[in-house]
Amino acid sequence: MTVAVERPEETGTGAPDPSPRTARRPGRPLAVAAILVLWLLLFAVLRGRHTLSLAAADLTDLHRWFNDVNDSIGADRNSNPLFLYFFNEIRLVIDTLVTFVQELISQPGAGRPVPQIGWLGVVGLTGYVSWAVGNWRVALLAVAGFTFLGLQGLWQESMDTLALTLSAVLVALLLAIPLGVWAGLSDRVHRIVTPFLDFMQTMPTFVYLAPLTLFFLIGPASATIATLIYAAPPAIRITAHAIRSVPTTTVEAADSLGATRRQTLTKVLLPMSARTVVMGVNQTIMAALAMVTVAALIDAPGLGKTVVQALQSLDVGTAFNAGLAIVVMAIVLDRVTTAASARQEAARHAHGRTAAWRRPLLGGGAAVTAVLVYLSHTYVWAAEFPGEGGVGSAISRGADTVTTWAQDHLSGLTNAFRDALTTGLLNPFQTLLTDSPWWLVGAALVALGAVLGGRRAGVTTAVCAGLLVGTGLWSDSMTTLASTVVATVLVMVLGIVLGVWMGRSALVDRLLRPTLDAAQVMPPFVYLVPFLALFGATRFTAIVAAVVYAAPVAVKIVADGVRNVPAATVEAATSAGCTTWQIVTKVQLPMARSALTLATNQGLIYVLSMVVVGGLVGAGALGYDVVAGFSQGQLYGKGLAAGLAIVLLGVMFDRITQAAACRTSA
């Protein structure tokens, strides 16, 4: 049967007329505009009605039920079989592991006034391991970095943070790498695991804390369990990707030579994916370090506790000193694991051969390291870091001096910037969300979700909006939503400006990308400190910190999207006489729409995480509810509900933006 194909009519210029499908594309922006206009009109009429506001000290029936559940679990913890033989056992195992590592490098134990390995041994081990898995430059960086932690007067706090991080990473990798290999080998497992990983990676760090304290109590064990749960998804996902990325021809060649399934895995798949797996270890360590600092809210020891206490008392100098220590540790761990990944790749290309001089040097280094460990175990001078942290005191005083100077000389500029953005953008948008009837906001969100992401995104938004009402924290959720959207808009402005610049200039990319990479290894707490000094404890501080925290990932995604626009297309536009502005706005950005949507998705998730952390410095809303739930027992249920509300916001944002990205790229 012959099928007639209707050809487009030719115009006078020889170009085909736009098809009906192409002509209808502007309908989506028009639909969004119509929804917003209708919302504004109804807001003007119905303002202040059915807003579901709740005072800070008030509780709903759901919050009281959560409190009752918490009390019931506390009463039955030592009699309920589920706790006796499952949750308590898990807590005991993790607590034993954490205590062992702490007594090894940070806390006195076993009748000793100092840890088993003192500062000299830890520095020696750090340098040796960094050299063995990386290179001598990374070893020097590691030794200098860990020595600097002691000079700051934060040696024990740093080692507590390192102990919790190492404990969480060890358990996370023991679970994540086998699961990642399984997901890489089995399509069915991959399909089952992927939605869970997507869900876990959209949840801000705060969300993991409250439910885990319900089952594992407050303390280092709960902090470690929360950390390993948060840190495991990157290792699972990257390991599965590494296994799946091995060329099928290589696997088929191994099969044709009679290799068993196990031989194919151990001799082909794992060696060829080793570098990518080590990258997964890097991401797991970075996630664990970020989570360990946030877990200070549930009594995790270490640098995070120092930062939290300093932020709560607005002690910028102490917070800056401890935040700098977190940054130093993050940089050292990142550089060591990155160098290990590069060495794995070099070893694979060299077919496992190493330089003849390396093994004797490694043996000699091991002997020197053993001597340092022995000295630190035996002598107090090698166990306790010498001095009283004079460098840290100087850093704290310097930060306080700079803060005072900035507040005295820059307050006019910073306050003007803060007030302009707050009164001109944040307050009107927050008023629209919080003073509109809840059903009007819900209907507008569902309509926007359906228009931008399709029917499934609209259904997901409707479910999330309904559950947000059920949490009893609708008004606080809308306040957090307002801050998140405003911060995301600012992130995308920065992302587009810097991303286009990087995408069009290789030199700019080489200059900016290392800074962006370094910014992504810093835990979220660190970003609050400088902006607390500039803007004080306000919600604006959390918004600016969220913008700086989320901008690097958005900038890199936009830059990659612009760079991937075919050069032939850009050259054709240039030869047609287009200006640089026209090439960017009419060619490169439209052709990079999927990258822009993905950048928006990632920016939203990062911003939501940071805005919630900003509850520590006056951001209020859901972040404050979560923090208050940890510190005030009667508000525990409200804090748990706030964590659920944060999850719902994250899922709603993620589903809409991911569906929009799929529709844009289709």
Side-chain angles (χ1 to χ4, degrees), residues 36 92 120 154 184 216 225 253 272 288 327 341 347 352-353 435 565 607 650:
L36 295 177
L92 179 61
L120 190 62
L154 296 171
F216 300 105
I225 294 169
M272 293 191 68
V327 172
S341 175
R353 296 189 303 271
D435 288 3
V565 173
V607 163

Side-chain angles (χ1 to χ4, degrees), residues 165-532:
T165 301
L166 293 178
S167 301
V169 168
L170 175 63
V171 180
L173 293 179
L174 287 175
L175 299 174
I177 290 181
L179 184 56
V181 171
W182 192 14
L185 296 174
S186 170
D187 291 337
R188 178 180 297 179
V189 174
H190 189 263
R191 287 194 301 269
I192 293 173
V193 167
T194 298
F196 288 99
L197 298 179
D198 291 340
F199 178 71
M200 292 172 70
Q201 290 194 284
T202 61
M203 293 201 303
T205 51
F206 264 24
V207 175
Y208 290 87
L209 302 181
L212 288 170
T213 59
L214 190 65
F215 297 103
F216 300 105
L217 297 176
I218 288 176
S222 292
T224 305
I225 294 169
T227 300
L228 70 90
I229 292 175
Y230 180 74
I236 298 172
R237 190 187 295 276
I238 293 175
T239 301
H241 171 72
I243 296 295
R244 289 176 166 269
S245 298
V246 175
T248 55
T249 53
T250 305
V251 179
E252 291 170 356
D255 291 338
S256 66
L257 292 173
T260 64
R261 187 178 180 87
R262 182 174 181 177
Q263 288 173 327
T264 302
L265 175 63
T266 57
K267 302 295 184 181
V268 178
L269 293 174
L270 288 179
M272 293 191 68
S273 58
R275 180 184 183 183
T276 307
V277 171
V278 176
M279 289 175 58
V281 174
N282 170 276
Q283 293 301 302
T284 298
I285 292 174
M286 293 298 102
L289 182 59
M291 188 65 186
V292 161
T293 55
V294 174
L297 292 170
I298 57 173
D299 203 30
L303 295 168
K305 179 176 286 189
T306 305
V307 174
V308 169
Q309 292 172 347
L311 289 176
Q312 290 175 337
S313 61
L314 303 183
D315 184 353
V316 176
T318 301
F320 182 83
N321 188 43
L324 180 60
I326 295 173
V327 172
V328 170
M329 183 173 291
I331 291 174
V332 169
L333 295 177
D334 177 64
R335 290 299 92 195
V336 170
T337 49
T338 301
S341 175
R343 176 163 288 279
Q344 284 288 338
E345 181 69 8
R348 188 170 72 85
H349 287 301
H351 304 290
R353 296 189 303 271
T354 58
W357 51 265
R358 182 170 173 80
R359 287 184 179 177
L361 283 181
L362 285 175
V368 173
T369 303
V371 171
L372 296 179
V373 170
Y374 171 77
L375 292 175
S376 70
H377 178 79
T378 307
Y379 299 101
V380 174
W381 63 266
E384 295 180 347
F385 199 94
E388 299 180 356
V391 173
S393 300
I395 291 173
S396 297
R397 289 194 301 270
D400 287 332
T401 301
V402 171
T403 299
T404 303
W405 181 89
Q407 291 172 348
D408 291 342
H409 295 82
L410 302 179
S411 59
L413 179 63
T414 57
N415 290 345
F417 177 62
R418 179 191 64 198
D419 295 342
L421 191 60
T422 301
T423 58
L425 183 60
L426 179 59
N427 285 347
F429 187 50
Q430 182 173 314
T431 300
L432 177 64
L433 287 170
T434 57
D435 288 3
S436 293
W438 68 268
W439 51 265
L440 175 59
V441 179
L445 292 175
V446 171
L448 290 171
V451 169
L452 296 174
R455 184 171 57 186
R456 290 186 178 180
V459 172
T460 302
T461 305
V463 172
C464 291
L467 293 175
L468 282 173
V469 173
T471 63
L473 296 171
W474 177 263
S475 182
D476 284 354
S477 299
M478 292 304 100
T479 301
T480 298
L481 175 62
S483 298
T484 302
V485 172
V486 169
T488 303
V489 170
L490 298 176
V491 166
M492 289 310 299
V493 171
L494 275 176
I496 291 174
V497 172
L498 295 179
V500 169
W501 195 17
M502 288 175 61
R504 290 177 55 84
S505 171
L507 176 61
V508 174
D509 187 275
R510 287 196 299 270
L511 292 175
L512 290 184
R513 192 168 290 270
T515 302
L516 299 178
D517 291 340
Q520 282 193 273
V521 308
M522 291 194 292
F525 268 10
V526 176
Y527 289 88
L528 291 174
V529 177
F531 298 109
L532 177 65

Side-chain angles (χ1 to χ4, degrees), residues 87-119:
F87 291 118
N88 288 358
E89 291 298 320
I90 293 176
R91 184 175 184 274
L92 179 61
V93 171
I94 297 298
D95 195 46
T96 301
L97 173 63
V98 173
T99 302
F100 170 76
V101 179
Q102 283 185 305
E103 291 182 353
L104 196 64
I105 62 173
S106 65
Q107 297 285 348
R112 291 170 52 85
V114 292
Q116 296 292 332
I117 303 176
W119 76 270

Side-chain angles (χ1 to χ4, degrees), residues 592-640:
R593 280 179 299 181
S594 60
L596 294 177
T597 312
L598 178 60
T600 304
N601 170 274
Q602 293 299 297
L604 273 169
I605 300 304
Y606 274 69
V607 163
L608 179 61
S609 176
M610 191 64 193
V611 165
V612 173
V613 173
L616 292 169
V617 291
L622 295 178
Y624 172 80
D625 294 333
V626 173
V627 175
F630 293 131
S631 58
Q632 304 176 44
Q634 71 274 16
L635 296 179
Y636 177 84
K638 192 173 185 178
L640 197 60

